Amino acid sequence: MCWYCGSPILDPNPLGRSLRCPECGKDLRVCRHCRFFLPGARGDCSEPNAEPPAEKDRGNFCDWFSLNARFRSPTPGEAGPREKAVSAKSAFDNLFKP
């Protein structure tokens, strides 16, 4: 499932660097989808030989990339909470419009 919108990843392993989610257009070969992604570790990566890229949600050329098995099953993604935050901010901003 896409880390952002939760739509299924139908492409087989290995994911190519140019693959994008058909629903939201986000890159699929990203650190967030890798089995070595570990927030809080050095560079957020548990693979000691990898040189993790700075942007974890953009496509990269990491030789150690391997799709995390949890993304083969449904996930809620992050789009829902972000949409709620955007709508809440919009409602707040509307309070101060003349």
Side-chain angles (χ1 to χ4, degrees):
M1 304 311 246
C2 174
W3 67 271
Y4 186 75
C5 71
S7 66
I9 296 175
L10 302 175
D11 296 305
N13 249 346
L15 293 176
R17 183 187 183 284
S18 62
L19 283 179
R20 295 185 179 267
C21 175
E23 297 297 318
C24 66
K26 299 286 186 182
D27 292 328
L28 291 178
R29 187 186 171 106
V30 298
C31 291
R32 289 176 173 267
H33 279 151
C34 184
R35 70 183 179 121
F36 296 113
F37 182 65
L38 182 62
R42 181 193 66 82
D44 294 332
C45 184
S46 64
E47 171 53 53
N49 297 319
E51 291 187 31
E55 298 182 60
K56 307 301 181 201
D57 56 356
R58 306 261 332 254
N60 60 60
F61 293 103
C62 182
D63 292 332
W64 302 100
F65 178 85
S66 176
L67 185 64
N68 190 329
R70 75 182 178 111
F71 288 107
R72 292 288 181 194
S73 59
T75 61
E78 292 182 5
R82 288 185 187 199
E83 289 171 2
K84 288 180 185 177
V86 168
S87 66
K89 179 165 180 0
S90 176
F92 178 77
D93 290 341
N94 288 337
L95 290 173
F96 299 101
K97 288 187 178 178

